[in-house]
Amino acid sequence: MAEWRNLAEVAVQPEPGRAFTAAGRDSRDHAHFHRDVLRWHTAFAASPAQAWALHFEDAACFAAALYGAWHAGKTVVLPGDALAGTQARLQGRGDGFAGDWPQATLAAPTDDVSATATPLQPLDAEAARLVVFTSGSTGEPVAIEKRLRQLDAEVHALEAALGPGLEGATVHGTVSHQHIYGLLFRVLWPLSAGRAIVPRAFFPEDLLAAMDGQDAVLVASPAHLKRLPAQLDWASLHGRLRAVFSSGGVLPAEAAHEVSRLLGVSPTEILGSSETGGIAWRRWREEQPAWRALPGVEWRVHEGVLEVHSPHLSDAAWWRSQDRAEPDGCGGFRLLGRADRIVKVEERRVSLDALERQVRAHPAVGDVRVLLLGGSRSALAAVVAMARGLPVPEDAAARRALSQALSRHLAASQDAVTRPRRWRFVSALPANAQGKVTEAALTALFRPERPTAMWTLRTPTQARVELPLDASLAVFDGHFPQAAILPGVAQLDWAVQLAREAFPIPSRFLRMEALKFQRVARPGDTIHLELEWQAERCTLQFRYTSVHGPHASGRVVFDHGE
C-alpha cells in the first residue's frame, strides 16, 4: 500500500515508485507528475494574474496544472465546461485561462525546468483556494470557495470510511473532474492514496475495455449507472472491480440492484453537495440502506430537517439543509424528501415529493419529476421516464392515452387542481454532467428549442437520429411569422449538440467546411440527421434529409490538439 500523503504535500517531492497514471503506453509515475507540476508552477509564477480558470479534458494534465497554480500562489477557478459563453461569464472572476479554452491565455509549458527549479514547499492549507460551482438546478450556477484544508479533511474521511480494500486499484470514471465529486474521487483522493488514475470514459464499451484485467474502482453518477447496457460482458469484471461509487443524485433502488447484478459489487452512494462536501454514505446491500455519516461529520435532525456540522464546511456553524430526515435508530438517518418542494397551485399547497411518489407507483413509470410551470396561470407538469423495457409513446394519441391513464391513477388521492396538467414522456430524465436533473432542463421540455431526439443508430463513429419538427418549438419564433421555417443556425447547433451526445468531441471549434442549405424544413416535417465522426481528422460530417429530399449538409472541424 502506498504511503498516505496530505494534499498539501502531494507534489512536494517526486516518488518514482508511486502510482499516478495507469500502466500502459501512456503510463506516468509520480516523478513525471512532479516534473509537470514544476513546469506549470514556473509558468504560473511568471504571470501577475492571481485567479486562473482551469479546464482540461485529461485528468493527469489537470492535476499537474492545479498543483502548479496552487504552488505559485494562485486561486484556481473550476468551471464545468470550456464553452465560449462560460469563458465570457468568467472574465470578471478569472484573470487567466489555462487548458482547453477557445482562447487560452497560458499554453501548456514544455521546457524542462526540473533541474533548476526551486524545490516546492508544502502548501498552506488555509491559503490555497479553489472556486467550484453549484449545478445551478434552479438558475445560474453559484460560486463556492473551498480552502485546501476542507478538501484535505474530506479525502481523509473518504479514505477512512471507504478506502479499505482499494489498495492497488486503478481509478476509472465516467464523471468529469471539473466538478467537485469527480475532482475528489478521480484526482485528489487517488493522489493522496497513491492510486492510479486514467482518462474519463465516455462509452460503456470503452469503460469495460479499460478496466479489463485490472483491479479497478469505478466513479460514476446515477445517470450513467442507470444506462449500463446489459448485453456487455460485465461479468469479466467480477472479482476485480473493488468498488462502484455514485453521487450527484439519488440512485433508484432498481438501478442499484441491477448494478450489483451486472458488476458484481454493491454500489456505494455518497451524499453531499458543492457547499457541504461529503456528508454521508450508504452501500446497497439491502433494499433501502440508511445513510451513515463520514468520519468527522456530525448531523442532527432539527424540526424535521437535516443539519450538518463538518470540517468540510467553510466555518464551524451548523449548516441547515433542505432535506427532511429522520434517525433510523441505529446511528444513521433516512431522507424523506426535500423540505422546500412545497408549492401553491390556485391557493392549494402541494408536495411535489408526495406527488412524485404517487406517480412513480404506476407500473409504466420508471422515474418522474413534477414541477410548477409559471405563467398567467401556474400549472403542474410532469416529466416521466418510462419503466424499463417500455418504449416512449411516439404519436400524439399514445401520449394522450398514457397521460390520461396516469391522471386516473392519481384521481383517488388528488383532485383536478393538484394533478399535473401537462406531461412529457422520455426514455431517461435529462441530466447534466454531474448526473443531476435540473429544473431548467425539465422546463425546456415544455417549451423546447430542439425536438425530442429519437436515435436509430449510435456507434463510436456513426449516428442517426430522427427529429420531428413541432410548431411549438421555440426555435420557430420569428422564422418567419407568415411561413415558419427551421433556421440554418439551429440546424448547425443541433448537429453539434447531438454529436456531442454521441461522440467524445473536443470542446474547441475551428471552422465550418462545405456548408450547404438545399431545402427549407417546416413544422410538421420529420427530418433525419446523419452524423459521422472522423476522430483522426477531428471532423464531424452531418447531413439533414426528409421525405422531401436533402435539407442541409456540411463539415465541422474541431481542434485535435486538445
Side-chain angles (χ1 to χ4, degrees), residues 520-533:
V520 298
R522 296 186 173 90
D525 292 341
T526 295
I527 54 176
H528 305 264
L529 173 60
E530 298 178 17
L531 300 168
E532 181 179 352
W533 173 238

Side-chain angles (χ1 to χ4, degrees), residues 11 20 29 70 160 195 216 273 290 329 375 377 443 452 467:
F20 181 56
D29 67 6
W70 273 342
R195 298 187 187 105
S273 67
R377 293 186 64 189
T443 302
T452 301
L467 300 168

Side-chain angles (χ1 to χ4, degrees), residues 33 92 129 145 165 196 261 318 340 397 473 534 539 555:
F33 166 67
R129 301 188 180 190
E145 186 176 85
R261 184 184 71 82
W318 281 85
D340 57 351
L473 291 172
Q534 299 173 350
T539 299
R555 292 192 297 270

Side-chain angles (χ1 to χ4, degrees), residues 343-354:
V343 299
K344 278 192 173 183
V345 183
E346 298 184 19
E347 305 306 317
R348 301 277 294 279
R349 290 172 58 86
V350 179
S351 167
L352 300 184
D353 285 321

Side-chain angles (χ1 to χ4, degrees), residues 4-11 18 67 148 152 155-156 191-192:
W4 179 269
R5 299 188 77 174
N6 292 330
L7 290 181
E9 300 174 344
V10 159
R18 187 179 180 85
Y67 269 89
L148 185 60
D152 190 59
V155 296
H156 274 78
L191 279 176
S192 286

Side-chain angles (χ1 to χ4, degrees), residues 343 345 350 352 355 370-372 379-381 417-422:
V343 299
V345 183
V350 179
L352 300 184
L355 193 54
V370 178
L371 64 157
L372 184 67
L380 291 171
V417 171
T418 59
R419 295 198 298 267
R421 295 173 55 189
R422 301 182 65 185

Side-chain angles (χ1 to χ4, degrees), residues 470-539:
D470 190 275
S472 66
L473 291 172
V475 76
F476 283 119
D477 291 352
H479 299 275
F480 292 92
Q482 64 274 22
I485 65 171
L486 181 64
V489 66
Q491 296 178 54
L492 292 174
D493 187 44
W494 293 356
V496 174
Q497 282 184 30
L498 291 164
R500 290 193 185 282
E501 295 180 18
F503 314 121
I505 293 178
S507 60
R508 191 177 301 166
F509 166 88
L510 285 185
R511 62 183 180 274
M512 289 292 310
E513 294 179 348
L515 182 62
K516 296 180 181 178
F517 292 104
Q518 298 150 290
R519 182 178 281 104
V520 298
R522 296 186 173 90
D525 292 341
T526 295
I527 54 176
H528 305 264
L529 173 60
E530 298 178 17
L531 300 168
E532 181 179 352
W533 173 238
Q534 299 173 350
E536 68 283 357
R537 299 172 57 192
C538 234
T539 299

